[in-house]
Amino acid sequence: MSASGNKIHPLVRDLYKRAILVGRDYPHPRGLNYVREQWKRAIRENPASQFEAIQDPALREKAMRKAVGQGRYAIREMIGVIQLKKYRTMRRRY
């Protein structure tokens, strides 16, 4: 992380790492760079300050986990797109 002290919640960091791993095979002309830019933008648009506005720690954690759950759903969708692309490519070859 940067020296400015930006702290990322461990669940968010793990989600980003999963997205990068899955993004290696993403069928886009720019591939991994495209996925990296999209996920960075998504994480920055949903900043931690949004969750810090929630006073109750339990509700804050619940909101964070809900956002991470939506991110995991997006990763599963990416996996589906990758599998579909691989299937169509294989089918074209035979």
Side-chain angles (χ1 to χ4, degrees), residues 33-90:
N33 288 332
Y34 173 77
V35 171
R36 185 178 291 125
E37 289 170 9
Q38 293 297 317
W39 276 88
K40 280 186 178 183
R41 184 180 315 135
I43 289 173
R44 288 181 184 139
E45 286 176 359
N46 201 1
S49 62
Q50 169 186 334
F51 300 113
E52 290 172 1
I54 301 172
Q55 298 298 322
D56 185 18
L59 290 176
R60 182 183 313 139
E61 187 69 22
K62 186 176 180 180
M64 177 74 75
R65 289 185 184 274
K66 182 179 179 184
V68 169
Q70 291 172 344
R72 287 183 178 164
Y73 176 79
I75 290 175
R76 286 193 303 271
E77 288 293 316
M78 286 174 53
I79 291 170
V81 168
I82 292 166
Q83 289 175 342
L84 181 64
K85 175 67 175 177
K86 287 180 179 180
Y87 171 75
R88 287 180 176 169
T89 301
M90 181 188 71

